Amino acid sequence: MKTSALLIACTLLVGSVLYVLPLGLAAPLTDPDEGLHAVIAQEMVERGDLVVPRVAGTPFLDKPIVFFWLQAASLAWFGMSSAAARVPGAVAAVLGMLSVG
């Protein structure tokens, strides 16, 4: 019984490290939408306007604002980096997996 608990703990640890490790890499934002959403959140932080998401000053009202708020908070807390832009999506993915599991 003790061996199986240790195996499960090690599997979870290795899985967590492999899931979080790419966030620390200096990889550029790849998907066009990923970059667009990061720019919107960056403008929210720089302008201090958390009500209307904007791209180059033009309102972007096509998506719900909650993700932009989370991404803007992450950029404000962790700095303007691709890793900080990816943290809210990674957290949402983990929460989704836990809720399904």
Side-chain angles (χ1 to χ4, degrees):
M1 188 78 178
K2 212 169 200 190
T3 306
S4 63
L6 181 62
L7 182 63
I8 291 171
C10 287
T11 303
L12 288 174
L13 179 66
V14 169
S16 299
V17 168
L18 290 175
Y19 186 76
V20 174
L21 186 65
L23 289 176
L25 301 176
L29 300 172
T30 55
D31 187 61
D33 290 337
E34 187 179 30
L36 175 68
H37 295 161
V39 167
I40 292 169
Q42 181 181 6
E43 283 196 28
M44 291 176 93
V45 171
E46 290 174 351
R47 291 175 180 258
D49 181 10
L50 299 176
V51 177
V52 180
R54 298 176 187 275
V55 177
T58 305
F60 184 83
L61 306 173
D62 296 344
K63 300 279 183 185
I65 197 166
V66 174
F67 182 74
F68 296 127
W69 286 339
L70 295 173
Q71 202 167 33
S74 177
L75 290 172
W77 292 336
F78 303 121
M80 300 291 177
S81 68
S82 59
R86 290 181 172 126
V87 166
V91 170
V94 167
L95 291 175
M97 287 186 289
L98 290 174
S99 68
V100 170

